[in-house]
Amino acid sequence: MILDLHAHSIKSDDGRAKVQNYCQWIKTRNIAIDGFVLTEHRQFDDESDYSQLAQKHGLTILKGAEVETEYGHVLVFGVTQALQEAFDFSDIHLPLAKVLAACETHNAVAVPCHPGRKRVGMAAHLDEFGIPAGVRIVEVFNGGSRGDEDAVAHALAEEQSYMGIGGSDAHIVSHIGRCATEFPQQINNETELVAALQEGNFHALKLNQEA
Amino acid sequence: MSDETGPIDVEALRDKFLNVVFDEYELTLDAEKLADYATACGETAAKFTDPQDPDFQAPPTIGSSFQPKVRYPEGFPTFRGLGMDAGKAVAPDKPMRPGVPITVRTHMHDIYTKTGRSGRMVFFVNRMEFSNSGEILGTADTSVVIREKPQT
Amino acid sequence: MSINTLDDVEFGENLPAFQPDTSLANVKRFAVAAGWNTPRFTDHEAARREGLPGALVPGIMSQGFLSAMIHRWAPSAEVRLVDTIFRAPCVVDETYHINGVVTDIDEEAGEVEIDLTVTNDAQETRVFGTAKVLIQGTD
């Protein structure tokens, strides 16, 4: 199963895509993904229910979040009420250690995203803060990467023996599915996604799309 | 803008400055400049590139080029750091034409923060509203981000 | 194909991409017309002294390129919104591509939503956004 693990909708301040249009786009353009995870900036979208939309289009639509730490941005999968009470998702100065510990406690997974990016990626902060303990997975393919950002991410992952995921970081409809993550099993919900990530049997993909 | 030391309370700024018009002026567009603007952008339709066209008008994104005479409301604090355009949204309602007086009013529409490597990024959204004799011609939002240097 | 009515528009269709003229002379012409005639946009050396990679194509000019693409595709389209986010600078005299694709059609309102991007030769997105345009129906 192929999931795009990093996408934003109009719920994010810089997102311009409606979720139904993501679905329509994937089907119309035959994008080679089976679903996607909405990772809105600094929030978990409690209120939206995309189950009917997912069923209509035969896609898996899951929800996570993208939070902000001193090491840059971090995707969080397996968000529960308890996890939301463990730290403030809207805090722009979260300590990464706190996010990782809370995820560990509440059976969630934290993944530093676009780690090769200036300012908002983990690699940019290693000189200052050192290698953070507890990171197991980083995003090695990001659809919004420029220059050598993905190469830096791959090098970091190899050096630190991190596993790698892929996500489009889509903010507009036509960017969904540029990068994704392939799992051997079917994933139907956030709990299964967390289990699959913890299991470690997955790999990142960069998908070529017809212009 | 006024200088401050210590961290600036963005919530207090929202309470004080949001939705208050802080700049207003009138302008009139010049036909030749409008044609140059459109042609440089790659417009090919005569209504944008030929001042003699009976339907000649400004290209729809022209409102983004207008700038307030005053960038911030009086008493607004100085954020230390480099300011950059983060985005622009222009929403034309009616065509703007040369020789027609246009009133430009600006208010602060939003202020919010995001993280940066060594401090906050503060986003301001200024909204300009364009009108002629009370008729709204459109709006343009400008988002400016300041990579705030740590306050000392 | 030139779009005349809403019936001609298909979800997922690409607008005709074009390479804009980002030469120093053309950007200068734009900057003068727009009242944005500052060295940051018209002088590579001065821009580099500011710490920039070179003279920049103004963001508002990128908006103009994107709007022009819409008119080339649908000459009678009424642009109601161009909403752009500047992710990375576009540098004068470098090659860029102006792209658009239809991502929503509201037949009742006669409104079409378009994803907009400015990309470089490496397919990196420098500017992205959306446009909303009104296109007349067949009646």
Side-chain angles (χ1 to χ4, degrees), chain A residues 120-184:
Chain A
V120 294
M122 190 172 105
H125 306 282
L126 297 180
D127 284 349
E128 189 176 359
F129 301 123
I131 300 288
V135 172
R136 295 176 59 238
I137 309 170
V138 294
E139 185 185 56
V140 291
F141 281 133
N142 176 285
S145 286
R146 295 181 293 271
D148 65 352
E149 289 175 2
D150 279 351
V152 170
H154 273 95
L156 175 68
E158 191 166 317
E159 196 179 291
Q160 299 299 325
S161 300
Y162 295 147
M163 294 175 282
I165 64 162
S168 67
D169 203 356
H171 289 73
I172 54 175
V173 173
S174 55
H175 281 175
I176 193 80
R178 292 184 298 179
C179 300
T181 307
E182 184 164 24
F183 299 89

Side-chain angles (χ1 to χ4, degrees), chain C residues 19-66:
Chain C
Q19 280 184 29
D21 180 352
T22 60
S23 66
L24 201 58
N26 194 49
V27 172
K28 173 109 179 163
R29 179 186 191 184
F30 173 85
V32 169
W36 285 46
N37 188 16
T38 65
R40 173 182 277 214
F41 304 120
T42 58
D43 181 336
H44 283 302
E45 279 311 309
R48 286 187 194 110
R49 282 196 296 274
E50 273 190 63
L52 300 166
L56 302 183
V57 177
I60 58 168
M61 192 176 190
S62 290
Q63 281 194 331
F65 293 147
L66 292 160

Side-chain angles (χ1 to χ4, degrees), chain B residues 89-100:
Chain B
V90 58
D93 276 344
K94 302 262 168 41
M96 291 191 224
R97 301 186 194 273
V100 175

Side-chain angles (χ1 to χ4, degrees), chain A residues 79-106:
Chain A
V79 178
T80 58
Q81 191 58 43
L83 186 70
Q84 289 180 78
E85 286 163 13
F87 63 88
D88 178 1
F89 279 42
S90 69
D91 183 351
I92 59 171
H93 299 296
L94 285 167
L96 176 60
K98 185 176 182 177
V99 173
L100 290 165
C103 287
E104 185 75 25
T105 303
H106 297 285

